[in-house]
Amino acid sequence: MVFLLILLVIILIIAFKSIKIVKQAEVYIIERLGKYHKIADAGLTIIVPFIDHVRSVVSLKQQTMDIPPQGVITKDNVTITIDTVVFYKITDPAKAVYEIQSLKKGIEYLAITTIRDIVGKMDLDATFSSRDAINDQLRVILDEATDQWGCKVDRVEIKDITPPADIRDAMEKQMNAERNKRALILQAEGERQSAITIAEGQKEAAILQAEADRESKIRRAAGEAEAIKQVAEAKAKEVEMIYSAMKNADPNDKLVQLKSLESLEKIADGEANKVFIPFDATSALGSLGAIKEVFKDDDKKSKKTDK
């Protein structure tokens, strides 16, 4: 009975040593008699007890490594602290186990020296404005260096760049000065634009006023010209009518002389009017009385005829 119990215990120990269950996204590095034998993938794996053993369990998932903050001196001799994180994945588990004693330590030390080399060639301002460039350079260098370790660096990110306290104060003052400068520039630009707009409005108003005055003068002049034209046409029609009436009346020489003398009388009617009558016109003036008497006789005869 005791023998059976001992045999059962031995069988259980052998089974425990022989049967291995590998989880998903993991592999086992199996050694036989101290030498690399195989890589056991996810699932059930049988090994020879006391001959084979599991050297290491390697995860194939994406892994992250937080690099401790490091003090780095820039090109302009400013000491800054950089905090970095590395994203990597193991592509060859055997190399990750046998090619380097500690993969994480190797990546960490390599990242520290690479950061110091890259940032040491840059000014302080460039380190803040060139994070993406630093990340890309760091990723390429780490990926090339860790390829022999069966590892692929997918991404490197600088989480924080911390300058010294005095540098931070100077940067804050500089940023405040830049903000005030931009505010003054914007204010001046706004005032300038406002003045330009007001001047343009006044210019447009003056132009419109001048156009309105010009149009008003043109219309007033056109109205006056039209009025003069109408008066002239009326006078011309009046003269034409008088001329036609006189022509139809068939006036004799005595009537023409009488009308001429009446016109002269109207012209001379005024204090400032001076009329110079030629000597030849005195004969007509001498016969003025006789002409008036003739017209009076003609009027009397016409009145008697009417009665």
Side-chain angles (χ1 to χ4, degrees):
M1 187 67 180
V2 177
F3 176 74
L4 293 175
L5 291 175
I6 294 172
L7 183 62
L8 180 59
V9 171
I10 293 173
I11 292 172
L12 291 175
I13 293 173
I14 293 172
F16 178 77
K17 292 287 187 180
S18 301
I19 301 172
K20 300 294 180 181
I21 298 176
V22 182
K23 297 179 181 179
Q24 183 67 34
E26 290 183 350
V27 294
Y28 284 6
I29 303 297
I30 308 298
E31 290 183 348
R32 176 168 292 178
L33 299 176
K35 185 179 179 181
Y36 169 74
H37 176 57
K38 67 175 182 177
I39 296 176
D41 296 326
L44 182 63
T45 300
I46 305 298
I47 63 175
V48 179
F50 306 108
I51 296 177
D52 298 339
H53 76 280
V54 178
R55 163 69 186 272
S56 179
V57 178
V58 180
S59 175
L60 301 180
K61 294 183 290 185
Q62 182 89 38
Q63 301 183 55
T64 60
M65 179 184 298
D66 193 1
I67 308 298
Q70 299 295 319
V72 182
I73 300 176
T74 61
K75 185 178 180 181
D76 48 355
N77 296 323
V78 178
T79 302
I80 59 177
T81 303
I82 297 181
D83 191 4
T84 313
V85 61
V86 178
F87 299 84
Y88 69 97
K89 180 186 293 185
I90 295 176
T91 56
D92 190 338
K95 289 184 178 180
V97 172
Y98 292 105
E99 295 295 331
I100 188 170
Q101 184 175 1
S102 175
L103 179 63
K104 289 188 175 183
K105 286 292 184 181
I107 295 175
E108 179 181 340
Y109 294 150
L110 185 60
I112 291 172
T113 55
T114 306
I115 289 172
R116 289 176 177 173
D117 179 62
I118 294 173
V119 176
K121 298 176 182 178
M122 304 174 68
D123 295 333
L124 178 62
D125 294 337
T127 58
F128 289 103
S129 60
S130 305
R131 285 195 179 193
D132 292 338
I134 297 173
N135 293 336
D136 291 338
Q137 294 183 40
L138 189 56
R139 184 196 62 79
V140 171
I141 294 173
L142 289 179
D143 188 44
E144 291 178 354
T146 58
D147 184 65
Q148 61 181 340
W149 302 335
C151 176
K152 178 175 179 56
V153 177
D154 295 326
R155 191 178 184 88
V156 178
E157 291 291 339
I158 295 178
K159 295 194 298 182
D160 190 22
I161 298 177
T162 306
D166 55 343
I167 299 296
R168 288 201 302 270
D169 293 339
M171 293 174 65
E172 289 178 359
K173 292 179 181 178
Q174 182 180 1
M175 291 176 64
N176 290 331
E178 289 292 334
R179 291 193 189 98
N180 294 332
K181 176 183 176 182
R182 287 195 295 268
L184 292 175
I185 291 173
L186 291 174
Q187 183 179 358
E189 184 65 24
E191 293 176 354
R192 172 179 170 273
Q193 192 64 32
S194 176
I196 291 173
T197 304
I198 292 173
E200 290 179 351
Q202 293 176 350
K203 177 183 175 183
E204 292 292 333
I207 292 173
L208 292 175
Q209 184 64 36
E211 290 289 337
D213 294 341
R214 176 175 171 272
E215 186 68 22
S216 177
K217 290 179 181 179
I218 291 173
R219 292 186 178 182
R220 188 182 299 111
E224 292 175 354
E226 185 65 23
I228 293 171
K229 181 180 178 182
Q230 291 178 0
V231 171
E233 290 178 354
K235 292 292 183 180
K237 289 181 181 180
E238 183 179 355
V239 171
E240 186 178 356
M241 290 175 64
I242 294 171
Y243 175 75
S244 299
M246 292 177 65
K247 185 177 181 182
N248 293 331
D250 193 13
N252 52 24
D253 294 337
K254 293 181 179 180
L255 179 61
V256 172
Q257 291 177 0
L258 180 60
K259 293 295 183 181
S260 300
L261 291 174
E262 290 178 352
S263 298
L264 289 173
E265 183 181 2
K266 291 180 180 180
I267 293 173
D269 187 12
E271 296 178 356
N273 294 333
K274 294 181 180 180
V275 180
F276 296 91
I277 300 173
F279 179 77
D280 294 339
T282 57
S283 60
L285 292 172
S287 61
L288 177 60
I291 294 171
K292 287 185 177 180
E293 292 297 330
V294 172
F295 278 100
K296 288 180 180 179
D297 294 337
D298 290 339
D299 291 337
K300 289 179 180 179
K301 289 179 181 180
S302 60
K303 288 180 180 179
K304 289 180 180 181
T305 306
D306 292 337
K307 290 179 179 179

